[in-house]
Amino acid sequence: MFTRACYFLGRLFEKMFDLWRWLYAHISPNKIFILCLFVGVAVWIYVQGKYNKEAEKNGTYK
């Protein structure tokens, strides 16, 4: 049972590294970093807007 889990993890890591190699060959790391930043800022703005609407509705601080 333990050996099967080790082989599963090994295959999972191998596929993950293959994906990273493909990404690096087709998309530069800078583009990936910029995309992650853009998604992070978009999520932050969405959550902040939701919080502000709730604060206005309850009459509390923003």
Side-chain angles (χ1 to χ4, degrees):
M1 174 98 176
F2 178 72
T3 342
R4 290 181 72 185
C6 289
Y7 279 114
F8 171 76
L9 278 175
R11 279 186 253 120
L12 178 70
F13 285 137
E14 187 178 6
K15 288 187 187 298
M16 213 166 55
F17 293 142
D18 286 343
L19 175 67
W20 288 346
R21 274 189 226 117
W22 182 86
L23 276 174
Y24 188 78
H26 292 87
I27 304 172
S28 72
N30 289 338
K31 291 177 185 175
I32 295 171
F33 181 68
I34 291 169
L35 179 67
C36 289
L37 282 176
F38 179 75
V39 169
V41 168
V43 168
W44 176 65
I45 289 173
Y46 172 75
V47 170
Q48 190 65 38
K50 203 168 145 184
Y51 173 78
N52 285 344
K53 284 181 187 176
E54 185 178 328
E56 283 182 21
K57 188 174 85 174
N58 294 336
T60 57
Y61 289 115
K62 285 187 181 181

